[in-house]
Amino acid sequence: MYPVSADFHNLSIADAPTSRVRIYFIEANVDCTDDNDVQSNGTLLCMPGETDSNGRIENGGVTINEFFNSDANVQIGATVSSQIGMTLINRDGALDGFNYGRCKVYIDVYDDTNSTWLTCPMGVYNIAIPKRRKVQLVSATGYDQMQQLDEIADSWWNGLDWSNGITLLQIIQSMAATLGIHLSANTSANIVNSGLSYTEIPFTAIEMTYRDILSYIAEATGTIARFDRNGALDLRWFSDAVLSTDTQTYAGGLVTFTATDRASISSLSVPFSPIQDL
């Protein structure tokens, strides 16, 4: 979940709010957790109804499915990922040679009272080059950065220095540094017994991925591992939340948007329209 402002929450449950999606493709040297860095140095694919400076590229809609490749019931130790799908309007072959890759996605709603857009990040994703690129409507899909942890980790794990003692937090920090990913600011607080040191390797890794090892750490700390909506690796468990009486559900395509009294949002696609009251 991502905490949004009260104004964003109120607008999101208004009838047919004006909304848009922004997709910034960013290079490896761009800090995905820094919105200023992303928006200053990223390549923006334009919002619905708008085109780029050449009038050729338009975003035709985005669908996000969180916890896509998790079990039906998310258990302690799960390493969950999110999936994204996007439809892009390819005018005059503007996307024929586009590189795709890493991007950060934002959802905005428009505040008529203050004449401003209120925004919420929806995650960082790695978009594969579509098989059909030279078509008018390009369908692209991708997953969040959890997929980077599917690489074999044997050399890194077996090469850690255990002689002076190493904590679970230090292992996570080493993993993040090795893979070039960010850690959530809450990581240290969410790892129980974070000061406990291991003075010898608990097992030798043979054909194990970073994701396998992350799952062991998440299980040992009573958490699930996921990437948050700013693109940082986060270990946490669920907290209680109560739906407010004014909560409404919206749908765009097959994915729903839900707002709660904690001003958090689950999944959505845009554009969207109200379909029912809870």
Side-chain angles (χ1 to χ4, degrees):
M1 303 301 173
Y2 184 86
V4 295
S5 67
D7 287 340
F8 185 101
H9 170 64
N10 292 334
L11 285 169
S12 68
I13 62 174
D15 288 341
T18 301
S19 60
R20 69 183 185 186
V21 60
R22 289 175 294 144
I23 307 166
Y24 289 87
F25 280 86
I26 51 179
E27 301 294 336
N29 62 338
V30 173
D31 182 352
C32 65
T33 65
D34 185 336
D35 291 333
N36 290 329
D37 199 4
V38 169
Q39 295 172 28
S40 297
N41 297 297
T43 299
L44 171 64
L45 293 192
C46 298
M47 286 77 73
E50 300 180 11
T51 56
D52 70 354
S53 59
N54 296 315
R56 298 179 299 172
I57 302 172
E58 181 180 342
N59 161 33
V62 169
T63 300
I64 295 172
N65 185 0
E66 291 191 311
F67 291 6
F68 172 75
N69 57 352
S70 66
D71 295 332
N73 296 314
V74 178
Q75 304 292 331
I76 289 175
T79 56
V80 297
S81 183
S82 297
Q83 182 194 54
I84 189 170
M86 57 182 67
T87 300
L88 303 172
I89 301 172
N90 182 19
R91 290 191 175 90
D92 302 325
L95 291 174
D96 289 358
F98 193 72
N99 289 328
Y100 298 90
R102 189 173 67 143
C103 69
K104 188 169 185 177
V105 179
Y106 299 86
I107 295 296
D108 304 324
V109 293
Y110 189 69
D111 181 357
D112 287 309
T113 302
N114 298 303
S115 300
T116 187
W117 288 94
L118 303 177
T119 188
C120 176
M122 293 300 296
V124 176
Y125 302 89
N126 293 307
I127 310 300
I129 294 177
K131 292 182 178 179
R132 300 186 65 207
R133 305 172 68 184
K134 299 181 179 181
V135 292
Q136 183 175 3
L137 293 179
V138 178
S139 296
T141 59
Y143 299 89
D144 70 13
Q145 298 169 103
M146 189 63 75
Q147 304 304 302
Q148 293 176 227
L149 277 72
D150 287 332
E151 299 177 10
I152 296 297
D154 296 355
S155 177
W156 163 76
W157 173 260
N158 297 334
L160 288 173
D161 183 4
W162 304 85
S163 60
N164 296 317
I166 187 170
T167 67
L168 292 175
L169 178 59
Q170 289 172 328
I171 294 173
I172 288 288
Q173 291 170 336
S174 174
M175 178 184 293
T178 300
L179 295 174
I181 58 178
H182 293 270
L183 290 179
S184 167
N186 300 316
T187 301
S188 177
N190 290 338
I191 294 184
V192 296
N193 297 324
S194 60
L196 181 64
S197 294
Y198 297 83
T199 56
E200 60 181 33
I201 190 169
F203 55 83
T204 300
I206 301 176
E207 293 297 307
M208 294 186 68
T209 65
Y210 290 96
R211 194 167 182 172
D212 292 331
I213 295 171
L214 179 63
S215 178
Y216 283 119
I217 295 174
E219 185 174 3
T221 57
T223 60
I224 64 170
R226 53 142 200 172
F227 279 85
D228 66 22
R229 288 182 172 170
N230 271 315
L233 180 61
D234 189 29
L235 280 79
R236 66 171 55 221
W237 190 238
F238 300 109
S239 57
D240 293 333
V242 179
L243 292 178
S244 62
T245 56
D246 65 350
T247 295
Q248 296 182 357
T249 299
Y250 301 88
L254 300 177
V255 179
T256 60
F257 168 86
T258 303
T260 75
D261 63 346
R262 297 183 62 196
S264 300
I265 59 178
S266 55
S267 303
L268 67 95
S269 61
V270 292
F272 56 88
S273 57
I275 57 170
Q276 66 178 32
D277 293 339
L278 294 182

